[in-house]
Amino acid sequence: MNCNDWIADFLASDPPRSKSLVVTIFGDAIVPHGGMVWLGSLIELLAPFGVNDRLLRTAVFRLAQEGWLGAQRDGRRSSYAITAPAMARFVHAYRRIYAPLNVHWDGSWTLILNGDGALDAAERSAVRKELLWEGYSVIAPGIMGHPAADGPALDELLKRLGVAGKLFVVQGKAMRQVSGRPLSELVADGWDLSGVAQGYDQFIAQFEPLLAALKSAAAADDAAEALTPQQAFVVRTLLIHAYRRVQLHDPQLPVELLPTPWPGALAYELARSIYLAVYAAAEQHIDATLRREDPAAPAAEPAFFDRFGGLT
């Protein structure tokens, strides 16, 4: 199977939904270039995925209604940009996606307690939903926890929900003087990782043939098999779209608390290898497409090249 066949098979068997695909493209391709895109350029970027003008307009309209995108008009042209409140969430989510799997456990847990019932029902529901998305688990009634919490991200989350100062946030370790159960056993009680592991296995099965095709084309130095910039962009987008769907359900537990072998480690290396192989050509397509409607569209920001441990 060559790369073109792989793209055709993927789009035929697992076509991405328009709205979710727009989110992927904004996070992977638009945010590094300033976070704003003209509608005509966005239509051009989505076209190779079979997303027509009508489907795209519906998708961006819904994302604007939900507060993710803001729209502006300049005469007969429209542009879309990630809103300021949504930008922090985009940056945090995509930092997770591209980050190396090197979180280690210091033996402690971060616990969030609603001890005296300071939150009302709506606040409790919102906090629970957001913390579960961040990979926390319900340790006991009124207590959620994680063994490798991201402090700044947690602080931003609580402030965004308007509950900063209403919850107890503590770190705890097992007392050496007391014979208790190992804190590592809380993982089995708090998380069922089987679904995440299955998602990673499916990702690996889908994308290993693509990496093999990319390596084969590179080894043969065959111009006929080489990806065009547009095809590289399609591959990069499908890669991150599929990886994002699995990775954002991963609770990001420390490596010491994960099953061995953990398929997330192989999935990360696979995603990194493919991204390194196609990102530069994909950037050519992104730059050209953005600058057709905006000659001043910025190149990728320096932080873009820190993805997957460094793009070289």
Side-chain angles (χ1 to χ4, degrees):
M1 175 184 289
N2 62 33
C3 296
N4 292 331
D5 292 337
W6 183 93
I7 292 171
D9 287 350
F10 190 102
L11 290 175
S13 63
D14 190 18
R17 298 194 315 183
S18 304
K19 181 181 169 185
S20 182
L21 186 62
V22 170
V23 172
T24 296
I25 288 176
F26 260 92
D28 185 65
I30 306 301
V31 168
H33 290 264
M36 188 278 286
V37 61
W38 291 99
L39 180 59
S41 294
L42 195 56
I43 290 172
E44 186 175 344
L45 290 174
L46 270 291
F49 303 93
V51 178
N52 60 32
D53 188 342
R54 179 183 60 82
L55 289 172
L56 176 58
R57 290 176 187 272
T58 300
V60 294
F61 175 76
R62 289 175 178 169
L63 288 168
Q65 279 189 317
E66 294 169 5
W68 291 99
L69 300 179
Q72 288 190 335
R73 294 194 65 84
D74 180 11
R76 302 182 66 179
R77 296 198 308 165
S78 298
S79 67
Y80 290 88
I82 297 174
T83 62
M87 181 61 84
R89 301 188 71 181
F90 261 91
V91 170
H92 174 56
Y94 278 82
R95 186 183 299 123
R96 270 183 58 176
I97 291 168
Y98 306 108
L101 302 179
N102 58 3
V103 178
H104 292 281
W105 193 40
D106 63 3
S108 70
W109 283 72
T110 297
L111 302 175
I112 302 170
L113 299 79
N114 183 29
D116 57 359
L119 304 187
D120 60 32
E123 289 173 329
R124 286 197 305 272
S125 176
V127 168
R128 177 187 171 92
K129 177 181 177 182
E130 291 292 326
L131 287 178
L132 288 173
W133 187 87
E134 283 289 331
Y136 286 72
S137 178
V138 177
I139 304 299
I143 303 175
M144 298 190 72
H146 196 283
D150 181 334
L154 176 60
D155 187 55
E156 185 277 327
L157 183 154
L158 298 179
K159 288 177 179 176
R160 172 163 48 82
L161 296 178
V163 298
K166 293 185 178 182
L167 293 162
F168 299 102
V169 182
V170 300
Q171 281 192 314
K173 290 188 175 183
M175 293 185 67
R176 294 181 179 178
Q177 301 90 340
V178 178
S179 299
R181 292 176 62 187
L183 286 180
S184 58
E185 292 184 7
L186 283 174
V187 171
D189 294 337
W191 288 271
D192 179 1
L193 297 176
S194 59
V196 178
Q198 183 180 19
Y200 280 132
D201 287 335
Q202 291 173 346
F203 172 84
I204 292 165
Q206 276 187 311
F207 283 87
E208 277 188 332
L210 172 62
L211 181 59
L214 289 168
K215 288 181 176 179
S216 176
D221 195 22
D222 187 345
E225 293 292 328
L227 293 177
T228 66
Q230 184 187 68
Q231 290 169 327
F233 168 72
V234 170
V235 165
R236 181 174 128 182
T237 301
L238 292 176
L239 172 76
I240 295 303
H241 189 73
Y243 188 58
R244 176 175 75 93
R245 285 191 300 178
V246 183
Q247 208 266 357
L248 291 182
H249 287 92
D250 188 331
Q252 303 288 291
L253 298 178
V255 294
E256 293 84 357
L257 301 181
L258 290 169
T260 302
W262 176 239
L266 179 56
Y268 173 83
E269 292 302 328
L270 176 60
R272 181 177 185 273
S273 296
I274 296 173
Y275 204 88
L276 285 172
V278 301
Y279 85 89
E283 280 299 298
Q284 294 176 26
H285 180 66
I286 295 166
D287 282 331
T289 303
L290 296 181
R291 288 171 184 169
R292 264 190 276 280
E293 286 211 69
D294 180 9
E301 63 185 1
F304 168 78
F305 297 95
D306 294 331
R307 292 178 172 183
F308 286 111
L311 302 176
T312 55

